[in-house]
Structure formats: structure tokens, C-alpha cells
Amino acid sequence: MKIPSVLRLASYNIQKCVGLDLRRQPQRILQVLEGMRADIVVLQEADKRLPPRPAALPQFMLDEAGWQIVDLGGAGSLGWHGNAVIWRGDAISVRQTGHHELPGFEPRGAVRVEFDTPIGPLRVMGMHLGLLSASRRRQITHIRQFGADLEDMPTVWAGDFNEWSRSPVLDNLVPEMRFLPPLPSFPAAQPLGALDRIALGQGVEVHAHGVHEDRPAHIASDHLPIWADLRVGG
């Protein structure tokens, strides 16, 4: 029996390419990306902090490595509000994009990309939620509300949710999304917190998922990347 094709999606907070040794080395981030063998990667902290928020991971380096960058409208930035989405492979193309301001104490945002992929149409929502629990609850609710107005499409949420609790706090706020079991990804040198998460909407199935720990991921950022091999089913 032929095994259905899978698509590997990853999420990685690259901390502006500053590693645990306090050195900004984009090349290390590229090494980690190469090692994950992901088709689509959702990035957080992909741009420097101060306006005009230039890309921390230079676009020419991604181009040379064969990555394509989703245009999310940030002039000179890799993404929007630090969230970026990159992909690799001729069989993947972008249908539509969008971005959304999120409520809360800190300025936060979410990005949205609808892809055509080898496993079918797929909507990817990338996000980096706030440090305060009240803000995170409002942000999740906001994402859920605007998502309800979008065209029906298999959907995946991925990002740094900043949620330390192992109880289903996030799951309860958005019951139509299924969060994959939390795996520790922070801090990279000795992971304790499952801050980075992936959630699947109806029709999306997971074949395997995990945390990428191969060197130099242990030092390239303060987060380890997470990944999931996805299928679109019934």
C-alpha cells in the first residue's frame, strides 16, 4: 500500500539569530533549518526589534540556501511583527497571505498564509503570543474569531505560545484545534518549558512530531525548533 505523502512543518523562535553565547550568527540558524528538512517553517523573532525592524536573518542568505520567503508586507523585514514564514520546494505555492494585530499589553501579531502543497490546500497561522496569561487568552480568542470568518481549509497553528502550563489551558480556549502533546523546547541548552506548540484543525492529521535537538540547535537560539509531519485526511 502506498504511504500517503506527508509535509513537514516546523516552528522556530530564532531570537533574532542571537545564540546562547550572545553572538549573532545567522549561519547557525541556517544550519538548524537545513538539519530539520522541513518544507514550511514558521519563524518568530525573525526581525530586529527597533523600527524599521530589518531582517535578523538576511534574505540573501535564505535565497542562497534555496528558501522562499512569504511576503507579509513588512518593508525590509523578513515578516511582520517578527513572525515570518519560509518554504522550500517547487510543489508548494502561496495562494494568499494576511496579518492580524493581536490585543494585549505588548505589541503582538499573527500571520496567515494559505498554501497549495503536495498534501493539499493548507492554511498556516504563525504567532508569538504575549508573556502575560491574560494577554494570551485574549490573543487566542481573537485568532479564533477572525479564523471563523475565513474560507474553510485545513488549518495549522504554530508558534511560540509562551505557555508554561502543561494543563490544557490553550486547548480549552479553542476546542476546534487539537494541540499536539507538549514537548520541552525552552531553554535550548536544557529544555524545560513546552513554549513552542503546533495545533491542528479538522482534517489535518499528524504522522510524527518532535523537537529538533541536533547541533547547533542547542546554542543557535534560546529555543529549540519543533516539527510535525502532516497529512490531510478526512
Side-chain angles (χ1 to χ4, degrees):
M1 182 177 68
K2 183 180 179 181
I3 299 175
S5 60
V6 297
L7 178 141
R8 176 162 290 189
L9 179 138
S11 178
Y12 191 15
N13 184 330
I14 64 174
Q15 198 188 208
K16 305 173 187 66
C17 296
V18 177
L20 294 182
D21 57 0
L22 303 182
R23 296 180 179 179
R24 190 186 304 276
Q25 294 194 1
Q27 185 60 42
R28 288 192 301 206
I29 297 297
L30 287 175
Q31 287 180 259
V32 177
L33 293 174
E34 187 68 29
M36 282 194 293
R37 301 187 182 278
D39 302 293
I40 298 172
V41 184
V42 178
L43 300 173
Q44 302 87 48
E45 298 195 33
D47 300 322
K48 296 179 182 178
R49 184 178 300 276
L50 298 177
R53 300 199 67 157
L57 181 57
Q59 298 187 25
F60 79 89
M61 294 180 70
L62 288 166
D63 292 340
E64 291 176 353
W67 290 99
Q68 299 190 65
I69 304 164
V70 176
D71 183 0
L72 294 165
S77 300
L78 196 62
W80 187 78
H81 260 298
N83 299 289
V85 183
I86 60 176
W87 88 96
R88 193 153 60 171
D90 295 336
I92 299 175
S93 60
V94 174
R95 285 187 176 191
Q96 191 174 4
T97 68
H99 52 72
H100 307 269
E101 294 276 0
L102 296 180
F105 180 74
E106 317 151 77
R108 297 280 178 170
V111 297
R112 169 175 52 87
V113 187
E114 279 104 26
F115 287 101
D116 284 312
T117 80
I119 63 171
L122 186 69
R123 175 179 293 122
V124 176
M125 299 290 307
M127 58 200 75
H128 186 184
L129 301 188
L131 296 173
L132 302 179
S133 60
S135 293
R136 291 195 296 275
R137 289 194 296 270
R138 291 178 61 197
Q139 289 158 1
I140 287 284
T141 300
H142 187 79
I143 295 168
R144 183 189 187 197
Q145 288 172 343
F146 70 67
D149 296 329
L150 299 173
E151 172 192 358
D152 285 342
M153 182 181 294
T155 297
V156 179
W157 291 9
D160 179 355
F161 285 77
N162 265 318
E163 180 58 64
W164 282 88
S165 175
R166 293 298 187 96
S167 62
V169 175
L170 303 173
D171 312 50
N172 293 339
L173 291 170
V174 54
E176 63 271 25
M177 301 294 294
R178 177 169 61 93
F179 281 83
L180 298 182
L183 299 173
S185 59
F186 178 87
Q190 190 174 359
L192 299 172
L195 306 189
D196 304 283
R197 302 291 301 275
I198 294 173
L200 311 179
Q202 185 174 5
V204 186
E205 302 171 354
V206 62
H207 174 66
H209 77 289
V211 177
H212 182 78
E213 299 178 298
D214 294 354
R215 292 173 180 266
H218 70 296
I219 196 172
S221 168
D222 60 346
H223 287 248
L224 294 172
I226 61 172
W227 57 268
D229 288 340
L230 306 176
R231 297 172 178 160
V232 172

